[in-house]
Amino acid sequence: MLNLTGKNALVTGIANNRSIAWGIAQQLHKAGANLGITYLPDDRGRMETKVAELVEPLKPSLFLPCNVQNDEQIKSTFETVREKWEKLDLLIHCLAFASKDDLSGDFSQTSRSGFNTALDISTYSLIQLAGAAKPLMTQGGSIVTLTYLGGVKVVPNYNVMGIAKAGLEMSVRYLAAELGPQNIRVNAISAGPIRTLASSAVGGILDMIHHVEQIAPLRRTVTQLEVGNAAAFLCSDLSSGITGQVLYVDAGYEIMGM
Ligand code: NAD
């Protein structure tokens, strides 16, 4: 049975009730996990208030600011996890960013700074968070990140984020190889297109969703909660033999050639 009772789970990437991380947090909570939530702080504290209200029903035992471009905040997040929880079992990496300018038009016009920002936030952050989680996952663990087909195949407008996701998927494999001997598993979920804050920055996202609804074997796209269910599986002992993999939760779209 899928049971995460007694597991401490740190969930990144909740911005609002459309966030995939929100779908994941709800399913981890349902399976009995003890949650810690991190959010991206802003100057006015709006995000803090909004996310705090949203996650309140899940009774997280930790609620912390963590901008993955800020080394101090990452350090402090994991120090708090060590102090309050002693061990970490599950880490959900569910965040990404690229400038809107770099998510449409000619890929060859990607700016150096746009490239660096996208790869820093969307790819390097997994490596850094996994490195910080490693010493705390003293009883093994599971790390789950979110990727998209645009990291494997060309998807119009996905552009620099495709490069970030390709790097992310390869990082999953290198991390899985390094952390496996410590019984820490690392996997990615490749989700079908879902309307969220992040995806609305990708040019033509609604067309992408309509296309998937016509072509995917299930004739629809997926929901945040379906991704959450797959994440709960990858966090549980039911997936104890699985690491270094990319699991497609996309209503089957990935298998289609035409
Ligand atoms: P979202 O906008 O709800 O979530 C993105 C999150 O990234 C937000 O919570 C935001 O605060 C966070 N973030 C951005 N910059 C950050 C920083 N510097 N530090 C910390 N957090 C930061 O959108 P989403 O679609 O739920 O995205 C979550 C993940 O799912 C992303 O990795 C995205 O690429 C991936 N994904 C999304 C789709 C889709 O269609 N929505 C499909 C496949 C994969």
Side-chain angles (χ1 to χ4, degrees):
M1 207 185 89
L2 204 158
N3 185 358
L4 299 176
T5 308
K7 303 284 186 195
N8 294 325
L10 193 65
V11 178
T12 66
I14 300 178
N16 57 37
N17 64 1
R18 285 180 175 241
S19 295
I20 292 176
W22 171 235
I24 296 174
Q26 289 176 87
Q27 303 312 70
L28 296 186
H29 172 75
K30 207 168 147 190
N34 172 38
L35 295 185
I37 305 287
T38 71
Y39 61 91
L40 174 62
D42 56 67
D43 291 343
R44 293 164 151 203
R46 277 199 199 149
M47 189 70 107
E48 178 177 2
T49 312
K50 206 167 74 174
V51 179
E53 270 177 26
L54 179 67
V55 302
E56 203 274 328
L58 308 187
K59 303 274 175 263
S61 59
L62 293 178
F63 184 71
L64 304 164
C66 187
N67 179 340
V68 295
Q69 290 195 294
N70 183 325
D71 290 340
E72 280 309 308
Q73 277 179 17
I74 293 179
K75 198 167 157 225
S76 143
T77 296
F78 285 88
E79 269 170 17
T80 308
V81 168
R82 184 193 294 278
E83 277 164 26
K84 298 275 161 71
W85 285 354
E86 290 176 5
K87 60 141 187 158
L88 177 65
D89 304 289
L90 313 171
L91 173 65
I92 305 295
H93 176 272
C94 192
L95 56 92
F97 177 82
S99 158
K100 209 168 183 263
D101 296 344
D102 292 317
L103 293 171
S104 64
D106 289 344
F107 173 60
S108 63
Q109 297 307 303
T110 306
S111 66
R112 188 188 300 273
S113 70
F115 182 93
N116 288 343
T117 302
L119 276 279
D120 184 30
I121 298 178
S122 315
T123 309
Y124 179 69
S125 63
L126 174 69
I127 302 168
Q128 196 175 16
L129 295 189
K134 180 180 174 180
L136 298 178
M137 290 187 158
T138 48
Q139 295 175 26
S142 175
I143 299 174
V144 177
T145 187
L146 266 292
T147 186
Y148 176 60
L149 182 65
V152 180
K153 301 266 170 70
V154 174
V155 173
N157 298 320
Y158 204 59
N159 294 6
V160 71
M161 194 52 79
I163 312 309
K165 293 304 191 191
L168 184 77
E169 292 184 17
M170 204 59 219
S171 302
V172 163
R173 299 184 187 102
Y174 275 96
L175 289 168
E178 176 189 329
L179 303 178
Q182 226 179 286
N183 198 26
I184 300 171
R185 298 181 295 107
V186 188
N187 293 288
I189 294 173
S190 188
I194 301 176
R195 276 189 80 177
T196 63
L197 202 61
S199 73
S200 65
V202 181
I205 177 72
L206 289 181
D207 294 340
M208 275 160 74
I209 292 175
H210 290 147
H211 179 69
V212 166
E213 286 167 353
Q214 282 164 5
I215 303 292
L218 298 182
R219 297 291 189 275
R220 62 178 180 84
T221 189
V222 293
T223 66
Q224 289 84 339
L225 287 178
E226 286 179 308
V227 177
N229 281 332
F233 162 71
L234 288 174
C235 284
S236 78
D237 290 343
L238 296 182
S239 62
S240 56
I242 303 176
T243 193
Q245 298 300 314
V246 176
L247 176 63
Y248 281 82
V249 180
D250 68 343
Y253 181 81
E254 186 265 342
I255 64 165
M256 302 303 291
M258 266 182 80

